[in-house]
Amino acid sequence: MKFFIRLRKNHIALAGLTIIIFYLLMAIIGIFWTPYDPTEMNYEEVLQPPSLKHLLGTDEFGRDILSRIMWGSRISILISFTATLIASLFGVSIGVISGFWGGKLDNFLMRVVDVLFSFPPLLLAIFIMGILGEKTYNVIIAIGIVYTPQFARLVRAGVLSIKNLDFIQSAFAIGGGKFHILFKHIFPNILIPIIVQMSLCLSLGILLESALSFLGLGVQPPYPSWGNMLSSARRFMIIAPWTAIFPGLAIVLLVLGFNLFGDGLRDLLDPRLRNIRS
C-alpha cells in the first residue's frame, strides 16, 4: 500500500505507467477489434491523409495505419516482454552462479559475457538472426541473448557486494546451506536492481525489435510491425509523411514510457534514493 502511495507522488513513474497502460490497452483491444483489417489492401484509398474515415491515414497499399499500429503494438510488446523474461532468467542464473561460487567457473562465464558485450546489440542480434532465420520466435531468442549479459553483470556485482557481509557470514557460521542462504538472504537483496533493469530492458527490446523489423529480419509482411511499417514508409516520406510519423511516434512514446517508469521505479524502490529525494 505504501508503494502505491509513493507511486502517486512520483510524477515520473506515474507518467511512464500511464503511457504503458495505454499501450497495453491498445494491444488488448487490437486482439479483438481494429477499425479495419490491418492486412487488407484497398487500392482505391492508397496514401490517403488522416481523415475521419482513416484517423491516421493509409499506406501505399491502402491499409489503415491506425489498425496496423494497434496490431503491431501487441507484437512489439509481446516480443519485448518475452525477450526480457528470457534475458533476466538466464542473466540472473549466470550472475548468481558466477558471483556466488566464483573460481574457474566465474572466469569462464564472465569471459563468455565479455565476448557478448564486445558486440554492439544490433550487430549481435543480426548475427543471431542470420543463424536462426527470419521467424518471430527467433527475434525473441535473439533479443533475449543480446540483453542477457546486462543482467549477468548486474547480478554478479550485487552478489559479490553482499556475500561477504557480516549477516551472510553469520548465516554460514550457524550452518546455513548455500542454497538456503542464496534464496533467503542474497537474492532478496539484489531483487530491486533486477526489477529496475527489467523495466529498462523492455524499452531496449522495443527498439531492437523495431530495428530488426526495419531491416527485414523481424516480423515479416504482410503482418504489421512498427519497424517494417517504417521500412515501407521511407519511400513515401516526402509525399505521405504520416506513413512514417505515426509508427515512429508509437515507438518513441512507448520507449519513453518504459524509461520514465524505470527511472521512477528506481527512485521508489531504492531506499538510498528515497532518502535523498526526501
Side-chain angles (χ1 to χ4, degrees):
M1 191 65 183
K2 292 181 179 180
F3 172 80
F4 292 104
I5 295 175
R6 294 199 302 269
L7 178 62
R8 291 178 57 185
K9 296 179 180 180
N10 191 308
H11 300 299
I12 294 178
L14 195 60
L17 183 60
T18 302
I19 296 173
I20 294 170
I21 291 175
F22 171 78
Y23 275 90
L24 288 175
L25 290 175
M26 181 172 65
I28 293 172
I29 292 172
I31 297 174
F32 305 101
W33 175 85
T34 54
Y36 297 89
D37 187 333
T39 62
E40 183 179 359
M41 301 180 185
N42 185 354
Y43 291 103
E44 295 181 357
E45 297 184 342
V46 171
L47 297 178
Q48 293 294 309
S51 63
L52 292 178
K53 186 176 182 181
H54 298 282
L55 294 180
L56 302 184
T58 62
D59 63 9
E60 70 274 20
F61 295 109
R63 298 172 297 193
D64 183 67
I65 291 178
L66 175 59
S67 300
R68 290 176 65 78
I69 288 177
M70 292 177 66
W71 183 282
S73 65
R74 63 175 177 173
I75 294 177
S76 295
I77 292 174
L78 177 62
I79 289 176
S80 180
F81 267 90
T82 310
T84 299
L85 287 176
I86 292 174
S88 60
L89 176 63
F90 286 97
V92 169
S93 300
I94 293 171
V96 167
I97 294 171
S98 180
F100 192 69
W101 274 273
K104 294 182 179 180
L105 184 60
D106 176 30
N107 290 330
F108 172 75
L109 291 175
M110 286 302 102
R111 297 303 75 77
V112 174
V113 168
D114 289 341
V115 170
L116 294 177
F117 255 131
S118 66
F119 291 93
L122 181 57
L123 290 181
L124 180 58
I126 292 174
F127 174 74
I128 297 171
M129 289 298 298
I131 296 174
L132 299 180
E134 300 171 359
K135 301 291 184 180
T136 302
Y137 55 83
N138 290 337
V139 177
I140 296 173
I141 295 172
I143 297 175
I145 293 174
V146 166
Y147 293 117
T148 292
Q150 296 188 7
F151 286 95
R153 281 291 189 185
L154 176 70
V155 172
R156 178 180 180 271
V159 171
L160 289 175
S161 65
I162 292 174
K163 74 173 187 177
N164 291 322
L165 295 180
D166 291 341
F167 74 97
I168 300 295
Q169 297 304 314
S170 299
F172 275 117
I174 62 176
K178 288 186 176 181
F179 286 100
H180 173 79
I181 293 172
L182 182 61
F183 290 102
K184 182 71 174 179
H185 299 290
I186 294 180
F187 194 74
N189 284 283
I190 61 173
L191 188 59
I192 291 176
I194 294 173
I195 294 174
V196 175
Q197 181 62 34
M198 288 181 69
S199 67
L200 297 176
C201 190
L202 287 169
S203 66
L204 298 174
I206 294 289
L207 285 174
L208 190 52
E209 184 277 326
S210 299
L212 290 172
S213 295
F214 181 86
L215 296 172
L217 297 173
V219 179
Q220 299 299 307
Y223 298 105
S225 165
W226 295 339
N228 64 32
M229 289 176 70
L230 281 175
S231 180
S232 300
R234 58 183 172 174
R235 296 174 291 169
F236 308 98
M237 289 182 63
I238 302 298
I239 61 174
W242 58 87
T243 58
I245 290 174
F246 293 117
L249 193 60
I251 296 172
V252 169
L253 288 178
L254 183 54
V255 171
L256 176 64
F258 279 125
N259 284 334
L260 289 177
F261 184 66
D263 288 343
L265 198 62
R266 179 193 59 197
D267 296 344
L268 289 171
L269 296 177
D270 193 326
R272 292 170 299 181
L273 292 176
R274 285 207 308 269
N275 292 335
I276 293 175
R277 297 290 187 275
S278 59

